[in-house]
Amino acid sequence: MGGILLWARQGFDPPHQSDTRTVYIANRFPQHGHYVPQRFADNRIISSKYTVWNFVPKNLFEQFRRIANFYFLIIFLVQLMIDTPTSPVTSGLPLFFVITVTAIKQGYEDWLRHKADNEVNGAPVFVVRSGSLVQTRSKNIRVGDIVRVAKDETFPVDLVLLSSDRAEGTCHITTTSLDGETNLKTHYSVPETLVSQSVSRLEALHAVLECQQPDADLYRFVGRITVTQQGEEIVRPLGPENLLLRGARLKNTKEIFGVAVYTGMESKMALNYKCKSQKRSAVEKSMNTFLLIYLGILLFEAILSTILKYAWQAENKWDEPFYNHKTEQERNSSQILKFISDFLAFLVLYNFIIPISLYVTVEMQKFLGSFFIGWDLDLYHEESDQMAQVNTSDLNEELGQVEYVFTDKTGTLTENEMLFRECSINGIKYQEINGKLVPEGMTEDSPDRSVPPLVLYSCLSVSLSVTSQSREELLFLKAVSLCHTVQISYEQPGDGPGDPFSHANGFSSQMEYYASSPDEKALVEATKRMGVTFIGSHGETMEIKTFGKSEKFKLLHVLEFDANRRRMSVILQTPTGEKVLFTKGAESAILPFTTSGEINKTRVHVDEFALKGLRTLVVACRHFSVEEYEEVDQRLHKARTALQQREERLAEVFSFIEKNLELLGATGVEDKLQEKVQETIEALRLAGIKVWVLTGDKHETAVSVSLSCGHFHRTMNILELVQQKSDNECAEQLRQLARRIKDDHVIQHGLVVDGASLSLALRGHEKLFMEVCKNCSAVLCCRMAPLQKAKVVRLLKTSLEKPITLAIGDGANDVSMIQEAHVGIEHCFFHLM
């Protein structure tokens, strides 16, 4: 309450008292009426714990919270206060040494954080102020400032994109440091601001932005922008596709202008990388336990010795022997004080039972051990010139005690680089051979034409015979080449080989695709090799070339991908004026909503692709009548301009649109394994470490990748706990699995669990579930949500055995798992946390 009154006295609104924040672009506040500006955080990033002024008291407080240090401090003070058998130096010097070494270690680690913070906060940035481009430091950016970012620069704040050097107002970014994804993402500006590509035009821009308060979710942003043009207010919705996150990097775009909405510690990057709690190593915890035991023994010894002393001195001849006469003060002193003094003297005399030298050795080992991890050449990444970075040296010894490793699949076990392999079109399965699609079982030059083949050359100049089958095939290829958010760069990459298919297709080698998803990039490149080439999008127009013939489609709406729907769609107007929806996504997200097409055959083909370890996507379409499209357009506009419950409204509208679909086919894309992943998993297994793979991928794909990378091996008996519908069904299945493991105890078992079954298992059958898991050599959890990953780690580390756990991942969806485990490794930078 006092904090709110302080804000009020200063003339500001209390922070975060509202669900939304209002940002006046270029900080042009309204001149008329009563306006009270909001107070926002500055743009300084603070990852350090200490300052010059609070280092000594704060560090001493933290160190003396440790039982050992506090105990030695008490002993030292006792030695100073009373006449003790040993010198205070014997306790004071080692204690001083331990405190000094620890303070130096923690001070050095914090100095590195300060150094990194100063580099970030002092980075030069360009801001539009008073009609000109002004250079300032990153820490001086305020909410509402218009910031200019050039190619290959990192965004200094969370920005809403206003304009770019591209005519369509788009830009490409990479978010490697945020979620581990190396592919490019495309972001957009609203039509009313994309023309403001110069400082003078930005200065003339009158706009107000309303958005939600800071939120740690990287993929969630709800806002709207109101642009005043010629006295008329135009409202446009803003979503994640309009927000450029701090830490992301601008690619293949010369420059962009954006307005700062979240700064400093309120940026999504800062909110995501706040560690919830300080991790303590198992060695430190066990040392504290033994310390308490020895402390109990010490107190018992001191009390017993004091009692025996007074029992011995009960006789006068021993109370004051001839060689030790008492002084007058000793004779007249209180018996209670004498007892306490003697007790403390015995405490000091016996305190060697707790060796302070042990703590000195442990602290030195931790401090020096962290350097050896950084110096390890086996952990050095030559391409990026990066070595392993230890964020805290308190966890070094945990690495040698790890019993369970939890790992993500995509980008960690696999390279997240996709290659198109197979597809299913209208119930017929095809594979790619030399840039041609050939029905399975036939070769490129097979004379057998009994099955309608699709042999489409990328440089085809002859006319295609229009049959029913070829129309389906062509529609499928068009759907794949249009249903995406891929962008094209026509620049020759300075350090890359360019488009690998450019020469084969007769296009300039400067043409290269950039996509928000590696799957999309692989699919668009595949259709290009087969003759249906995506040329690019210009404003609201998407252009493709079908065997050399150009076709332009008007992009009406993009229904963005989200984790709940597991699909994305585009609504287009064809060259003939027809409105059509193309959608692609997981088979579980598309097939239930299809009403026509070869549904059963395609489902079988999807399962076959998955068994081969391919990532699968199902493609479908829907044709709208004029009345249907008008209703769709109105519903979408209302949902996208809503400030409250926008996500729920959009989900409802998307469900209304994406139904009654016509199934076109499915694709199979290969995700290559990381180098030496099989050898690594085998080495961990031989070391007695169990590996659990936690992934959001579908069941069949995850199992196939587990088999190919050696997580599951062919001789293993694979058990399944999937598609459970109720608590009772799940409990019965768990009991059956437990019996099978008991009966076949000689054979190694692997367990596959999906997210829905896991939720049921954790609801009331944790003990039974853990019993099954611990008797399995390898566990694979698929269809996992990020929080479920953390729950699994927590469940295992809090079990009776209290095993040491290690989690490794590369993206934002792995952060909760990494923070929950005893040791967390972010493998794209190899940080030990």
Side-chain angles (χ1 to χ4, degrees):
M1 180 61 75
I4 294 175
L5 290 174
L6 176 64
W7 287 109
R9 282 198 296 271
Q10 291 178 345
F12 297 111
D13 283 346
H16 307 325
Q17 294 302 303
S18 169
D19 290 335
T20 61
R21 62 167 52 185
T22 304
V23 178
Y24 292 87
I25 294 178
N27 288 309
R28 277 189 287 272
F29 303 115
Q31 300 299 317
H32 55 279
H34 177 69
Y35 170 69
V36 179
Q38 289 179 296
R39 178 68 177 257
F40 303 115
D42 61 29
N43 198 40
R44 286 180 300 162
I45 286 288
I46 303 171
S47 63
S48 56
K49 291 170 63 177
Y50 308 106
T51 65
V52 173
W53 310 110
N54 72 9
F55 175 73
V56 173
K58 191 173 180 180
N59 186 261
L60 288 177
F61 174 74
E62 286 188 356
Q63 290 206 58
F64 285 121
R65 286 173 65 187
R66 297 170 68 178
I67 299 172
N69 289 346
F70 186 70
Y71 162 74
F72 290 124
L73 176 66
I74 295 298
I75 293 295
F76 176 65
L77 294 176
V78 166
Q79 289 176 310
L80 289 177
M81 289 189 302
I82 66 170
D83 183 19
T84 57
T86 56
S87 167
V89 177
T90 57
S91 294
L93 271 180
L95 177 65
F96 177 76
F97 184 77
V98 168
I99 296 297
T100 304
V101 168
T102 306
I104 291 171
K105 180 189 76 170
Q106 294 180 351
Y108 173 72
E109 289 173 354
D110 205 61
W111 175 75
L112 292 178
R113 295 189 195 104
H114 271 285
K115 188 178 177 183
D117 289 348
N118 290 336
E119 284 181 15
V120 172
N121 295 331
V125 294
F126 286 92
V127 178
V128 177
R129 284 182 184 159
S130 304
S132 60
L133 207 57
V134 179
Q135 184 174 351
T136 183
R137 294 183 181 274
S138 174
K139 64 182 179 182
N140 298 326
I141 298 176
R142 299 168 298 179
V143 171
D145 280 341
I146 298 176
V147 182
R148 173 190 173 269
V149 180
K151 183 180 178 181
D152 293 327
E153 288 183 355
T154 301
F155 299 114
V157 289
D158 287 354
L159 299 165
V160 166
L161 179 62
L162 295 177
S163 65
S164 73
D165 67 301
R166 295 170 179 264
E168 62 271 19
T170 61
C171 73
H172 306 303
I173 69 168
T174 180
T175 56
T176 307
S177 60
L178 293 171
D179 55 15
E181 294 184 10
T182 55
N183 48 286
L184 294 187
K185 295 178 171 62
T186 306
H187 286 250
Y188 305 87
S189 55
V190 297
E192 285 69 31
T193 64
L194 65 83
V195 294
S196 303
Q197 296 174 338
S198 64
V199 174
S200 57
R201 286 194 173 186
L202 287 165
E203 189 65 22
L205 179 66
H206 292 277
V208 179
L209 190 148
E210 296 169 90
C211 62
Q212 64 185 105
Q213 293 290 7
D215 179 14
D217 190 341
L218 294 175
Y219 309 108
R220 184 174 182 271
F221 177 69
V222 178
R224 67 183 177 196
I225 187 169
T226 306
V227 183
T228 306
Q229 288 183 346
Q230 299 172 350
E232 182 184 355
E233 290 188 348
I234 302 169
V235 181
R236 293 283 184 180
L238 297 174
E241 70 279 1
N242 307 111
L243 186 68
L244 306 171
L245 299 180
R246 178 173 191 146
R249 191 179 293 272
L250 185 66
K251 290 285 186 182
N252 299 308
T253 310
K254 288 181 181 177
E255 67 173 17
I256 63 100
F257 289 96
V259 58
V261 288
Y262 305 128
T263 51
M265 300 309 291
E266 291 184 342
S267 64
K268 288 183 181 287
M269 182 188 75
L271 293 174
N272 266 283
Y273 282 87
K274 281 183 180 176
C275 194
K276 293 180 180 178
S277 61
Q278 180 68 32
K279 293 181 180 180
R280 299 287 181 189
S281 70
V283 168
E284 185 175 335
K285 290 174 183 176
S286 61
M287 283 173 65
N288 285 340
T289 303
F290 286 117
L291 177 64
L292 289 173
I293 294 170
Y294 284 119
L295 194 56
I297 295 171
L298 176 63
L299 291 172
F300 173 75
E301 285 182 341
I303 292 170
L304 181 64
S305 297
T306 309
I307 292 171
L308 290 174
K309 179 197 172 190
Y310 279 91
W312 175 262
Q313 291 178 342
E315 297 181 37
N316 287 333
K317 64 176 181 177
W318 300 120
D319 185 34
E320 192 175 352
F322 69 91
Y323 55 81
N324 191 17
H325 289 285
K326 292 182 180 180
T327 63
E328 194 65 30
Q329 182 181 357
E330 287 176 333
R331 288 194 184 94
N332 298 328
S333 62
S334 166
Q335 289 295 320
I336 296 174
L337 288 176
K338 282 174 66 179
F339 184 89
I340 293 172
S341 177
D342 289 335
F343 168 74
L344 293 175
F346 279 116
L347 205 64
V348 171
L349 185 63
Y350 297 146
N351 89 88
F352 62 83
I353 196 173
I354 300 174
I356 194 169
S357 59
L358 173 66
Y359 289 89
V360 177
T361 306
V362 168
E363 288 300 326
M364 289 295 294
Q365 176 270 328
K366 286 181 178 180
F367 184 55
L368 297 175
S370 62
F371 288 101
F372 280 95
I373 293 175
W375 295 335
D376 195 332
L377 290 177
D378 288 334
L379 302 180
Y380 174 70
H381 190 247
E382 194 170 353
E383 284 98 8
S384 60
D385 190 28
Q386 285 184 318
M387 59 184 183
Q389 181 179 329
V390 181
N391 284 354
T392 172
S393 59
D394 291 333
L395 302 175
N396 298 353
E397 64 272 16
E398 299 284 80
L399 291 170
Q401 304 174 69
V402 170
E403 297 173 58
Y404 286 86
V405 171
F406 298 91
T407 175
D408 181 37
K409 183 181 74 69
T410 306
T412 306
L413 296 179
T414 62
E415 289 187 358
N416 208 21
E417 288 185 12
M418 311 301 175
L419 293 171
F420 177 84
R421 292 299 184 204
E422 297 185 61
C423 67
S424 169
I425 306 174
N426 199 30
I428 298 176
K429 192 158 56 169
Y430 297 90
Q431 54 189 342
E432 183 185 4
I433 301 176
N434 298 328
K436 308 169 189 179
L437 276 185
V438 181
E440 190 180 47
M442 293 175 61
T443 62
E444 179 186 346
D445 302 317
S446 173
D448 184 7
R449 290 290 182 261
S450 59
V451 179
L454 178 59
V455 183
L456 298 176
Y457 292 82
S458 56
C459 299
L460 193 62
S461 57
V462 297
S463 61
L464 184 72
S465 60
V466 181
T467 64
S468 173
Q469 179 67 21
S470 65
R471 271 197 297 267
E472 296 289 343
E473 294 156 352
L474 199 55
L475 184 59
F476 173 83
L477 288 180
K478 285 183 179 180
V480 172
S481 63
L482 289 167
C483 184
H484 54 72
T485 53
V486 173
Q487 295 293 323
I488 299 176
S489 170
Y490 290 96
E491 301 173 17
Q492 176 67 44
D495 53 357
D499 186 356
F501 314 113
S502 54
H503 300 295
N505 290 280
F507 291 96
S508 166
S509 62
Q510 294 180 339
M511 180 178 173
E512 191 169 357
Y513 292 122
Y514 294 99
S516 58
S517 161
D519 298 79
E520 288 189 340
K521 185 172 185 280
L523 291 174
V524 174
E525 286 175 342
T527 61
K528 177 183 174 183
R529 295 195 295 274
M530 295 157 201
V532 181
T533 306
F534 174 61
I535 300 300
S537 54
H538 310 282
E540 295 181 348
T541 302
M542 296 182 78
E543 185 179 354
I544 62 172
K545 272 190 178 180
T546 309
F547 315 119
K549 180 185 176 183
S550 178
E551 291 183 272
K552 292 185 178 179
F553 294 77
K554 185 177 180 182
L555 179 61
L556 302 172
H557 294 285
V558 177
L559 279 56
E560 299 82 4
F561 175 88
D562 65 61
N564 295 321
R565 284 166 47 243
R566 306 197 80 234
R567 58 183 179 265
M568 71 86 61
S569 305
V570 292
I571 302 177
L572 303 165
Q573 180 177 309
T574 66
T576 59
E578 184 186 7
K579 308 293 193 301
V580 63
L581 169 92
F582 288 129
T583 184
K584 73 173 189 295
E587 91 291 345
S588 59
I590 301 286
L591 293 179
F593 304 101
T594 54
T595 56
S596 60
E598 296 288 349
I599 299 172
N600 292 328
K601 287 183 180 179
T602 305
R603 183 179 278 114
V604 171
H605 290 166
V606 167
D607 291 340
E608 289 176 4
F609 294 161
L611 287 172
K612 294 178 183 177
L614 303 180
R615 292 165 64 94
T616 57
L617 287 172
V618 174
V619 183
C621 71
R622 178 185 176 186
H623 299 273
F624 294 110
S625 65
V626 176
E627 295 78 15
E628 284 176 335
Y629 177 72
E630 285 179 0
E631 184 181 2
V632 164
D633 189 49
Q634 289 174 3
R635 286 196 178 202
L636 276 173
H637 182 73
K638 284 182 182 178
R640 282 184 165 147
T641 52
L643 264 183
Q644 303 298 327
Q645 297 181 322
R646 180 186 295 179
E647 289 182 349
E648 291 81 356
R649 293 185 185 185
L650 279 174
E652 185 182 334
V653 175
F654 288 174
S655 297
F656 171 76
I657 297 170
E658 295 168 329
K659 63 182 183 181
N660 301 325
L661 302 173
E662 177 190 344
L663 181 61
L664 298 178
T667 61
V669 177
E670 181 187 14
D671 190 357
K672 291 197 298 182
L673 293 176
Q674 292 274 7
E675 187 181 355
K676 293 188 177 180
V677 70
Q678 292 171 291
E679 294 90 334
T680 303
I681 290 177
E682 186 58 32
L684 290 172
R685 183 180 287 115
L686 291 173
I689 297 171
K690 291 188 177 181
V691 179
W692 289 30
V693 175
L694 312 181
T695 178
D697 255 355
K698 63 175 289 185
H699 167 226
E700 293 83 0
T701 307
V703 170
S704 181
V705 171
S706 280
L707 286 166
S708 61
C709 73
H711 177 237
F712 287 165
H713 51 78
R714 301 291 171 183
T715 60
M716 196 177 275
N717 181 24
I718 298 176
L719 309 174
E720 292 187 349
L721 181 69
V722 295
Q723 296 179 345
Q724 302 300 305
K725 305 296 182 186
S726 65
D727 276 346
N728 293 334
E729 185 183 337
C730 182
E732 180 57 33
Q733 180 68 11
L734 281 169
R735 282 189 283 268
Q736 287 181 16
L737 293 177
R739 282 195 295 270
R740 285 185 63 183
I741 292 171
K742 190 176 180 181
D743 294 340
D744 302 331
H745 58 88
V746 178
I747 305 171
Q748 284 191 326
H749 299 276
L751 177 67
V752 183
V753 189
D754 64 10
S757 304
L758 181 70
S759 297
L760 294 171
L762 298 184
R763 191 176 297 169
H765 315 290
E766 289 184 5
K767 189 176 179 182
L768 188 57
F769 177 67
M770 287 307 301
E771 182 186 339
V772 172
C773 287
K774 286 178 180 177
N775 288 318
C776 291
S777 301
V779 177
L780 168 65
C781 300
C782 54
R783 299 287 198 197
M784 295 279 284
L787 285 178
Q788 282 184 311
K789 293 184 178 184
K791 281 183 181 178
V792 170
V793 176
R794 190 184 309 123
L795 179 66
L796 199 69
K797 80 177 210 181
T798 55
S799 61
L800 290 174
E801 294 82 3
K802 298 285 190 298
I804 304 299
T805 58
L806 180 146
I808 178 168
D810 68 333
N813 60 330
D814 303 316
V815 168
S816 55
M817 173 178 74
I818 288 170
Q819 289 184 339
E820 186 62 49
H822 292 94
V823 185
I825 293 178
E826 185 186 353
H827 91 86
C828 54
F829 295 104
F830 214 95
H831 287 184
L832 181 66
M833 296 185 284

